[in-house]
Amino acid sequence: MCPQQIKSQDRIIIQMTGIRKGAIMKSPCLLCGGQTNPLHHPGLKADYRVCGKCDLIFKEAADLISSDEEMRIYNCHQNSIQDPRYVDFFERFLNDAVFPYVNQGKRGLDFGSGPSPVLAQLLERDYGYSMDIYDLFYAPEKVYEGKKYDLITSTEVVEHLRDPKAYFRLFRTLLKSDGILAVMTLFHRNDTIHFLNWHYARDRSHISFFTPKTMQYLAEQTGLKMIHTNHERYTTFMLDEAWQKMPESNQKP
């Protein structure tokens, strides 16, 4: 390709990262298998791949941090149900992505509950839920095995996952027929300059970045139906088979 034929988006990548799209050997998307383009983050000295099919941005395996370093980052999180700002952070999520869609059942799972399971505590204290929690580091017992839930929440978790599709498949098996899955993760903007200056990417434990298009693809591949997104950070899902059986007047696309 002649220099004058480089598209503006490509020019940004060259200027900001020194890498032309396609200049590095091809690497398929971990999620959809589509063609990806390289993206180097100079500040983090890390390499990413950007999928043109499903919008997933994922960190290259060579730049992943160790489990010990990941744990050190999580241990720096100082969150408490006594912090009104943190409670409000979850209340906004519940009012947007959970309560308009959840059934009357009160059995819940908070997947990736973190060092302080504030969301689970909030749902039990204020909304009458009976919550299970799971976290790879802080609550590693797989208490969800053999159970079904009315509500599964996963907040600020999927950006840490190397294989999100495997987890969405798991979530599907854990939902009751009319249950919902509510996910929180900040969406990227499909904008290279924004990504390179984005606080969310600067967290070295964040390795996967999504858009609503990525979430839609995940739903289609795992037997879920995406019934809501606020196009910023919230997404809600239900079983696709349950959605198909609903009267059109009750469906929530």
Side-chain angles (χ1 to χ4, degrees), residues 60-195:
E60 294 274 27
D63 292 316
L64 300 181
I65 62 176
S66 68
S67 295
D68 288 343
E69 189 171 358
E70 194 173 358
M71 183 73 160
R72 284 194 291 271
I73 292 173
Y74 300 153
N75 284 338
C76 292
H77 296 175
Q78 301 295 323
N79 302 317
S80 166
I81 198 168
Q82 305 304 321
D83 183 345
R85 293 174 299 176
Y86 197 59
V87 170
D88 183 64
F89 175 72
F90 283 126
E91 290 280 10
R92 293 196 301 271
F93 168 69
L94 293 173
N95 289 324
D96 184 282
V98 174
F99 294 149
Y101 307 98
V102 76
N103 61 32
Q104 296 301 307
K106 296 291 186 177
R107 196 80 181 99
L109 169 68
D110 187 24
F111 192 95
S113 51
S116 180
V118 173
L119 179 56
Q121 294 169 355
L122 181 65
L123 284 164
E124 288 191 332
R125 185 191 71 180
D126 295 350
Y127 300 102
Y129 275 82
S130 175
M131 296 295 296
D132 286 339
I133 62 171
Y134 170 80
D135 189 278
L136 178 63
F137 294 99
Y138 300 99
E141 182 182 355
K142 296 180 179 179
V143 295
Y144 53 78
E145 290 184 337
K147 298 181 182 180
K148 297 283 185 178
Y149 296 96
D150 302 294
L151 169 64
I152 299 174
T153 56
S154 189
T155 60
E156 301 298 312
V157 172
V158 296
E159 63 273 13
H160 302 276
L161 303 179
R162 183 69 172 170
D163 185 7
K165 190 188 298 185
Y167 288 90
F168 273 68
R169 285 174 175 153
L170 172 63
F171 296 151
R172 186 199 180 285
T173 68
L174 299 177
L175 284 175
K176 290 184 179 180
S177 59
D178 58 348
I180 67 163
L181 164 67
V183 175
M184 180 198 298
T185 186
L186 196 57
F187 297 142
H188 73 80
R189 299 182 184 177
N190 273 320
D191 181 310
T192 300
I193 294 178
H194 176 265
F195 183 83

Side-chain angles (χ1 to χ4, degrees), residues 23 39 51 55 58 67 86 102 106 113 127 133 139 161 189 208 216 226 228-229 231 239:
L39 175 61
C51 181
D55 282 356
F58 59 94
S67 295
Y86 197 59
V102 76
K106 296 291 186 177
S113 51
Y127 300 102
I133 62 171
L161 303 179
R189 299 182 184 177
S208 298
Q216 180 65 42
M226 190 174 79
H228 168 71
T229 180
H231 299 280
L239 296 178

